[in-house]
Amino acid sequence: QKEVEQNSGPLSVPEGAIASLNCTYSDRGSQSFFWYRQYSGKSPELIMSIYSNGDKEDGRFTAQLNKASQYVSLLIRDSQPSDSATYLCAATNAGGTSYGKLTFGQGTILTVHP
Amino acid sequence: NAGVMQNPRHLVRRRGQEARLRCSPMKGHSHVYWYRQLPEEGLKFMVYLQKENIIDESGMPKERFSAEFPKEGPSILRIQQVVRGDSAAYFCASSPTTVDNEQFFGPGTRLTVL
């Protein structure tokens, strides 16, 4: 079982719609969760971090965390073609020396079509 | 405030040569992380360093790979006797603290082994 799992997609949504990206994790010791966006041939760009249960909103992005279900999601409202990218979910464990290590999912490819 | 800097951006080596990848963290960041992204695969953690210390090298291959973060100068990821399977994008990330562990990525070094 992969530690962090994402549906690889591709997920295709029309411009202006809400894109919903999902992620599950297997390590109950995971404490911090991150969403990165990666354009083809570029490096990952941090877009959201979330540490406690519930929702966290930043502009058009909302991250949701449910530790009981070991589930993290990212909603992108009013999707734009420029949002087309691979979205990476990552988790880190707060314990021991592994707290520095980000474990990434395989990424979900999002395509927003005009 | 300059971001994470990596050089070279592209590196071509023949089998058996050495590759040296450099990373300068963001100003004020003392934690450095190296990740590798193989073609069609996800980002994998390699090593976490602080100044003059390796904190977690659980993702480093046992042979040919080494990393350092000296008191002065950039962090170095060194690959000896490269093989074709080492061809990948190598990303460095840095963070100011491990409390929230938000890591910011550099542009990466694309290593091609002929």
Side-chain angles (χ1 to χ4, degrees):
Chain A
Q1 180 186 8
K2 294 179 182 176
E3 293 183 54
V4 178
E5 291 206 54
Q6 296 179 254
N7 187 328
S8 62
L11 173 66
S12 181
V13 300
E15 184 174 356
I18 296 175
S20 178
L21 305 159
N22 304 313
C23 171
T24 58
Y25 61 95
S26 60
D27 184 356
R28 285 199 172 273
S30 297
Q31 297 289 323
S32 305
F33 305 88
F34 308 90
W35 284 99
Y36 285 83
R37 177 174 63 196
Q38 187 175 27
Y39 293 111
S40 181
K42 301 296 185 182
S43 62
E45 174 191 5
L46 178 65
I47 54 173
M48 289 287 284
S49 57
I50 188 165
Y51 309 101
S52 55
N53 282 327
D55 295 359
K56 179 181 178 183
E57 186 175 319
D58 184 1
R60 295 186 297 114
F61 300 99
T62 299
Q64 299 173 318
L65 173 60
N66 184 326
K67 289 187 177 181
S69 300
Q70 296 176 243
Y71 178 88
V72 192
S73 67
L74 179 70
L75 299 177
I76 307 174
R77 290 181 298 282
D78 188 23
S79 296
Q80 301 297 310
S82 59
D83 294 325
S84 299
T86 298
Y87 288 79
L88 303 170
C89 174
T92 187
N93 190 309
T97 58
S98 64
Y99 58 80
K101 170 185 175 181
L102 284 178
T103 300
F104 284 88
Q106 288 291 99
T108 298
I109 299 170
L110 172 66
T111 300
V112 181
H113 53 87
Chain B
N1 187 9
V4 178
M5 297 172 65
Q6 290 188 250
N7 65 82
R9 297 288 298 275
H10 299 275
L11 182 61
V12 178
R13 286 286 179 266
R14 296 190 180 280
R15 282 178 296 170
Q17 292 184 319
E18 178 180 289
R20 272 183 193 240
L21 289 61
R22 295 174 184 78
C23 168
S24 295
M26 288 177 70
K27 187 175 181 181
H29 289 196
S30 58
H31 305 265
V32 166
Y33 316 84
W34 286 93
Y35 294 85
R36 176 166 68 173
Q37 190 168 39
L38 292 164
E40 307 306 321
E41 292 191 18
L43 271 167
K44 302 293 185 187
F45 168 83
M46 299 182 74
V47 62
Y48 161 37
L49 311 103
Q50 293 181 32
K51 283 288 188 182
E52 300 185 277
N53 289 302
I54 296 174
I55 307 301
D56 180 358
E57 57 181 346
S58 59
M60 287 279 271
K62 299 299 181 195
E63 298 179 350
R64 303 187 298 107
F65 286 73
S66 63
E68 63 177 5
F69 189 14
K71 186 177 181 181
E72 302 290 339
S75 175
I76 306 285
L77 179 67
R78 183 182 178 207
I79 311 172
Q80 295 178 289
Q81 299 175 337
V82 296
V83 300
R84 289 213 173 114
D86 296 332
S87 295
Y90 291 83
F91 294 101
C92 170
S94 72
S95 68
T97 169
T98 57
V99 175
D100 295 332
N101 204 24
E102 286 189 341
Q103 298 182 18
F104 299 89
F105 281 75
T109 295
R110 270 77 179 170
L111 173 65
T112 301
V113 179
L114 302 177

